[in-house]
C-alpha cells in the first residue's frame, strides 16, 4: 500500500544553489573531476564554501563516492551521505533525501550531484553487454534472449501498445521531440542550440526500435550537475531566491521491474509515476492547474505523454494533443532530448531557474514547477515553488 496521507516534508527545505559543467560529447576529464566542478559551481551559486557542507547524496550508479568528492572538493566532516538506486529514477529522490536530512536536523547543507562520461565512456544506449548474476538480472532474463537488449527496445514495447490502444500513429511522439528541440534551439547551454526540428524531421529520422525513431531517444552526454539543499530559513539569507521543496515523493508500482514491467495488466500507463503523482498532489495541496512549468523526464518521448496522463493534465490517450496545443510549458531547457542527458538532474536545475526568473526561456510569473525523474523504473518527483 502506498502512502495515503499528506506527509510532513513540504516547505521544510529549499534548493539554494545549482551548478553544472559544460555539456559535451567528450569531456576530456574524469567523472570525479566533473563531479567536483559541478559541486563547486553549485556552492558558488549558493554563496557557500565547501566547509559548509555536511551531507552528500548521489546515485548508486555514480562512480564518484561521497567521501572522495568531499575530499577533492575541500569539504570537512560529513554527518549524512546517501545514494539512490534505479538510474534516472533517482534524480528527484536525491533532493528528497537531502530535504529529509535537513528537516530532521541530521545535516544543514546537503549537496546532490551526478556526473558521468556517458558519451565518451560508458554508453547506456549500448544496452546490456555483461551483467553479474543478481535478482534484478533475473527479470531481464525474460527479455534479453528475445532481442530486447537496449532501453529503447524495452520502451518500444509499451509505446507500441499505447499507440494501438488509442488509435494513434508515431507522430504522437513527435510533438514531444519538436517541443524539446524548440526550447533547446534558444538555449546556449544545449547541445542542440540553434537546431529546432519539425514533425517532418521527426518522421524522417531512422527507426531505432519501432515505433521509436532516432528523434524519440535522448542524447548521450558527458557532464556533471549539482544542487545545494538547505533549510528555507538559511536559504533566505543566501544570494539567490530559494526554490522551496513543496513536495517530494518516490514511487514503485505493482509488478514493477526495471524497464521491463511487461506483465502488468495494462502497458499504457506508468503506475510508478502514478504513485508519485498522488503523493505530490496530497502533500503540496496543488493540482495540475496550479503548475506553471513542467520538467518531465524525457529519455524517450512516449513516456512524457504517459506522465502527463498519470498526473492528470489530460485524459489517457490525449497527451499528444495536449503537448501540441502548448497547454503547459514543457522542458523549457530543451530536456534530455535537446539540452543534455544528465539523468534528470539538469531538469531540476531548470525548474530552479524558472522560479528564480533567470531561465533562458523564462515563463513569465512562474511560481510552481513540477519535476519528474526517470520512468519505466522506480521513480521520483518534486513540486518546487518560489518562496512566499
Amino acid at each position: 500500500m502506498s502512502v495515503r496521507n499528506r506527509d510532513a516534508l513540504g516547505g521544510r527545505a529549499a534548493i539554494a544553489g545549482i551548478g553544472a559543467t559544460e555539456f559535451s560529447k567528450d569531456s576530456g576529464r574524469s567523472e570525479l573531476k566533473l563531479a567536483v566542478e559541478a559541486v563547486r559551481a553549485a556552492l558558488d551559486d549558493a554563496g557557500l564554501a565547501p566547509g559548509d557542507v555536511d551531507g552528500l547524496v548521489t546515485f548508486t550508479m555514480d562512480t564518484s563516492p561521497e567521501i572522495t568528492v568531499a575530499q577533492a572538493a575541500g569539504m570537512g566532516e560529513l554527518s549524512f551521505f546517501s545514494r539512490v538506486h534505479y538510474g534516472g529514477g533517482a534524480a528527484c529522490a536525491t533532493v528528497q533525501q537531502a530535504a529529509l536530512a535537513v528537516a530532521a536536523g541530521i545535516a544543514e547543507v546537503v549537496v546532490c550531484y551526478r556526473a558521468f562520461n556517458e558519451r565518451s565512456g560508458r554508453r547506456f544506449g549500448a544496452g546490456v553487454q555483461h551483467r553479474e548474476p543478481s535478482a534484478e538480472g533475473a527479470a531481464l532474463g525474460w527479455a534479453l534472449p528475445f532481442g530486447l537488449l537496449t532501453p529503447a527496445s524495452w520502451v518500444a514495447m509499451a509505446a507500441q501498445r499505447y499507440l494501438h490502444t488509442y488509435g494513434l500513429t508515431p507522430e504522437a511522439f513527435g510533438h514531444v521531440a519538436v517541443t524539446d528541440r524548440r526550447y533547446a534551439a534558444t538555449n546556449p547551454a544545449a547541445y542542440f542550440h540553434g537546431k529546432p526540428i519539425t514533425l517532418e524531421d521527426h518522421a524522417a529520422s531512422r527507426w531505432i526500435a519501432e515505433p521509436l525513431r532516432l528523434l524519440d531517444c535522448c542524447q548521450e552526454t558527458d557532464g556533471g550537475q549539482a544542487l545545494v539543499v538547505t533549510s528555507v530559513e538559511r536559504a533566505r539569507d543566501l544570494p539567490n531566491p530559494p526554490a522551496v521543496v513543496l513536495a517530494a515523493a518516490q514511487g514503485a508500482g505493482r509488478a514493477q521491474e526495471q524497464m521491463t514491467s511487461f506483465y502488468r495488466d495494462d502497458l499504457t500507463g506508468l503506475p510508478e509515476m502514478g504513485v508519485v503523482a498522488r503523493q505530490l498532489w496530497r502533500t503540496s495541496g496543488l493540482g495540475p492547474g496550479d503548475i506553471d512549468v513542467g520538467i518531465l523526464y524525457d529519455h524517450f518521448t512516449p513516456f512524457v505523454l504517459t506522465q502527463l496522463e498519470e498526473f492528470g493534465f489530460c485524459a489517457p490517450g490525449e497527451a499528444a494533443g495536449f503537448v501540441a496545443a502548448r497547454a503547459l510549458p514543457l522542458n523549457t531547457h530543451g530536456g534530455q532530448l535537446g539540452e543534455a542527458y544528465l539523468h534528470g538532474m539538469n531538469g531540476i536545475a531548470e525548474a530552479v531557474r524558472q522560479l528564480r526568473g533567470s531561465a533562458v526561456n523564462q515563463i513569465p510569473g512562474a511560481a510552481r514547477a513540477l519535476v519528474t525523474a526517470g520512468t519505466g523504473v522506480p521513480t521520483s518527483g518534486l513540486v518546487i515553488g518560489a518562496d512566499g
Side-chain angles (χ1 to χ4, degrees), residues 153-164:
S153 68
W154 301 330
V155 173
M157 294 282 283
Q160 191 73 275
R161 185 64 185 178
Y162 182 87
L163 295 180
H164 171 79

Side-chain angles (χ1 to χ4, degrees), residues 49 79 82 102 122 180 292 295 362:
S79 58
S82 178
V102 168
R122 176 190 175 186
D180 277 18
D292 300 309
I295 310 295
Q362 183 64 45

Side-chain angles (χ1 to χ4, degrees), residues 258-279:
Q258 289 195 74
M259 301 295 293
T260 58
S261 302
F262 302 140
Y263 302 98
R264 292 168 167 167
D265 294 336
D266 182 9
L267 293 184
T268 63
L270 290 167
E272 62 274 9
M273 195 56 80
V275 176
V276 170
R278 292 192 297 273
Q279 194 59 20

